[in-house]
Amino acid sequence: MLSRYSKRVVDLTIACLCLAICIPFLLLCMVALRLSGVNVFRVHQVMGMGGITFQKLQFNTAGFVGRCLYAFKLHRLPALVHVIRGEMSIVGPRPVLSRDMDLRDRGVRKRLTVRPGLVSLWWLRQRANIDFSPELNTELEYVDSHSATSDLGITFRAALAMLYGSRSHKNEPIVEILKTHIANLTMDEALQTILQAAQQRNARQLCFVNTDCFNLAQRNQDYKNRLAAAEVVLADGIGVRIAAKLTGQAIVQNVNGTDLFPLLCRRLQGSEMGIFLLGARPGVTDTVQEWVEKNYPGARIKGKHHGYFKPEEEEDVIREINESGAEILLVAFGAPRQDLWIGTHLQELKVGIAIGVGGLFDFYSGRIARAPQWMRELSLEWIYRLYQEPGRMWKRYLLGNLIFIGRVLLSLPRGGYKHATKDAR
Ligand code: UDP
């Protein structure tokens, strides 16, 4: 635990340095805001450490100057003053309006045992679009585990996230990239879609697409057709998000199968519905089942089968899936095989929804380690995969990402990128 005293010294030093450097800029902003005819500052009554309220200062975000400041997140600069006054820290839980704080809640009281921060773990995770647990849980995770290094890490990651992260906000329901239609869903909406389809038992298909999938689809017409025929296609990873940005669109959240799986298990706790795990090496699905039973007791794994069966065994595997009564089928053969396999057998399957999930079982069985949280927060999981299996992954990530972005750029209409996809439709 970072001692309060040393944290205070670090906060003071950073805040004084930043203020000293920024004073000319702050004065310029104040004059520009004044000239644009709006009040320079806005104040909000927020609750600080120990439940003490204070008036938090920020630049007004109204008018052209205010909007520019907001776009670069510079409207928060005046809050450095609160760090110097000891009301805030550089890193800490997000300051919350006093009226939104319910002090009867133990979690809220615990949150108030540290100073609120200019940068918070929750803010960071929202930018990286990877954390879907409630805000209070994330902030309490910070309160429980913060240290000098974690504070430094959060500050560094926040600076990077400011450059390319984007906060979840609702955009177009469909994002079109290289003629593939991606459902622009949040994690929560994706879960809802899966559970609804599971109940209806109409054998729907869900595919996750990352940059590698796009490259594969370019070479494999069957896969391309499959992605077009699937009921739901979801974007996985930063590459697809960058492509959306390049084409004037915005993907609302990084909804990948690996992050979705535990949330799905949580939703299935106590439900009659269950999952069939199909794929990976023999034994891997057993370990995944154990993981689910340990972490999400009550979530049903209704059946499982490895992914190395012979073509003549296929009929038996399909029978096994149908007899298991599972509503949700997760197929982990890797793309495009898993998605093509689902497409071929969709009519024979009595499940509600079949989802291709790539290496997911390997992660949850512990066979392959997942990237550390900080890398996932920076959407850099692919670098970790590259580090784990450079021989297999260099082509996919180093070359593949470049080829993908190149293709996206070439697909842009001459007149500019804005709303390219709408014109194409
Ligand atoms: N796999 C399988 N049957 C096969 C070939 C592969 O079940 O005939 C499994 C393999 O064991 C691994 C997964 O498919 O668990 C593919 O993982 P990969 O990392 O290649 O998938 P990605 O997420 O990259 O699409």
Side-chain angles (χ1 to χ4, degrees):
M1 197 64 101
L2 179 59
S3 91
R4 260 194 199 158
Y5 178 71
S6 47
K7 187 172 164 84
R8 182 81 193 107
V9 172
V10 174
D11 281 345
L12 258 181
T13 315
I14 296 179
C16 288
L17 273 175
C18 289
L19 260 188
I21 295 168
C22 295
I23 275 183
F25 178 74
L26 287 170
L27 291 174
L28 197 71
C29 292
M30 287 162 74
V31 173
L33 282 166
R34 200 86 204 101
L35 290 178
S36 72
V38 298
N39 288 332
V40 175
F41 295 110
R42 265 194 190 170
V43 286
H44 300 288
Q45 176 159 307
V46 298
M47 197 171 276
M49 192 165 71
I52 297 166
T53 55
F54 62 94
Q55 303 291 328
K56 186 171 145 293
L57 210 60
Q58 65 172 54
F59 280 134
N60 195 341
T61 51
F64 176 71
V65 180
R67 281 201 302 275
C68 291
L69 289 173
Y70 181 76
F72 294 97
K73 302 290 166 276
L74 296 171
H75 63 296
R76 295 171 171 206
L77 272 179
L80 282 168
V81 171
H82 299 296
V83 179
I84 293 174
R85 287 163 56 132
E87 291 158 336
M88 289 180 75
S89 280
I90 300 292
V91 184
R94 185 176 69 88
V96 178
L97 296 182
S98 304
R99 63 163 190 262
D100 294 338
M101 287 289 211
D102 181 359
L103 290 174
R104 286 168 302 179
D105 187 320
R106 260 180 68 199
V108 170
R109 290 202 302 274
K110 188 169 174 191
R111 178 189 182 135
L112 293 172
T113 55
V114 297
R115 291 186 179 87
L118 291 182
V119 178
S120 77
L121 188 59
W122 167 250
W123 182 91
L124 171 66
R125 290 199 178 155
Q126 277 229 309
R127 257 55 190 185
N129 282 340
I130 67 146
D131 196 273
F132 309 101
S133 54
E135 175 182 356
L136 187 59
N137 292 6
T138 310
E139 300 297 28
L140 291 183
E141 184 188 323
Y142 173 81
V143 173
D144 281 334
S145 62
H146 70 98
S147 66
T149 26
S150 74
D151 272 12
L152 198 68
I154 292 172
T155 313
F156 172 69
R157 275 136 60 197
L160 281 178
M162 256 188 220
L163 293 179
Y164 65 76
S166 64
R167 205 180 117 133
S168 306
H169 49 79
K170 198 65 192 151
N171 289 292
E172 295 289 317
I174 297 288
V175 165
E176 189 183 313
I177 295 170
L178 297 174
K179 301 212 163 68
T180 295
H181 292 133
I182 294 168
N184 203 8
L185 302 182
T186 62
M187 188 62 104
D188 209 50
E189 290 164 342
L191 283 165
Q192 210 51 42
T193 306
I194 292 170
L195 293 172
Q196 260 170 23
Q199 264 164 354
Q200 291 164 358
R201 281 195 177 269
N202 282 336
R204 297 202 164 87
Q205 179 171 16
L206 188 157
C207 306
F208 290 101
V209 282
N210 56 23
T211 52
D212 186 47
C213 299
F214 276 103
N215 289 341
L216 290 168
Q218 216 59 36
R219 303 195 292 270
N220 183 335
Q221 189 60 39
D222 287 343
Y223 182 40
K224 203 172 190 173
N225 294 343
R226 191 45 16 224
L227 292 179
E231 278 79 10
V232 188
V233 178
L234 294 174
D236 171 2
I238 188 173
V240 188
R241 245 167 84 195
I242 290 174
K245 255 193 179 174
L246 287 173
T247 52
Q249 308 169 90
I251 285 177
V252 69
Q253 228 169 44
N254 175 15
V255 187
N256 62 79
T258 322
D259 286 325
L260 184 136
F261 182 60
L263 300 174
L264 180 62
C265 292
R266 194 197 293 162
R267 295 276 184 109
L268 289 175
Q269 279 180 300
S271 152
E272 288 298 308
M273 294 196 289
I275 304 176
F276 192 101
L277 307 171
L278 174 65
R281 295 186 188 169
V284 171
T285 50
D286 298 326
T287 324
V288 177
Q289 179 168 17
E290 281 162 24
W291 183 88
V292 173
E293 283 165 359
K294 182 167 168 256
N295 292 285
Y296 297 94
R300 292 166 189 233
I301 300 298
K302 293 191 173 177
K304 56 189 188 293
H305 198 289
H306 63 79
Y308 291 83
F309 50 87
K310 298 191 190 98
E312 55 270 29
E313 292 169 329
E314 199 157 77
E315 218 172 280
D316 290 337
V317 172
I318 292 173
R319 190 175 317 117
E320 209 179 303
I321 296 169
N322 288 341
E323 285 175 0
S324 76
E327 288 79 3
I328 300 164
L329 171 64
L330 302 185
V331 185
F333 300 158
R337 215 189 124 203
Q338 59 198 16
D339 308 286
L340 291 172
W341 190 91
I342 293 173
T344 310
H345 300 288
L346 205 53
Q347 295 314 314
E348 304 156 62
L349 291 165
K350 296 202 176 98
V351 297
I353 188 159
I355 310 172
V357 291
L360 183 140
F361 300 167
D362 292 325
F363 291 128
Y364 286 96
S365 66
R367 209 183 75 75
I368 296 180
R370 268 200 94 181
Q373 180 85 3
W374 69 267
M375 283 191 113
R376 281 153 52 196
E377 280 168 9
L378 288 177
S379 303
L380 297 181
E381 192 157 15
W382 64 275
I383 294 187
Y384 193 73
R385 291 288 288 132
L386 184 65
Y387 155 78
Q388 283 173 316
E389 294 182 75
R392 192 163 81 95
M393 295 297 174
W394 76 270
K395 237 179 171 175
R396 181 188 289 191
Y397 290 127
L398 293 184
L399 210 59
N401 284 349
L402 283 179
I403 292 173
F404 169 69
I405 294 296
R407 276 205 185 105
V408 172
L409 289 175
L410 285 176
S411 76
L412 297 179
R414 280 170 157 245
Y417 64 78
K418 266 255 167 226
H419 305 304
T421 55
K422 279 191 183 156
D423 297 341
R425 240 176 253 155

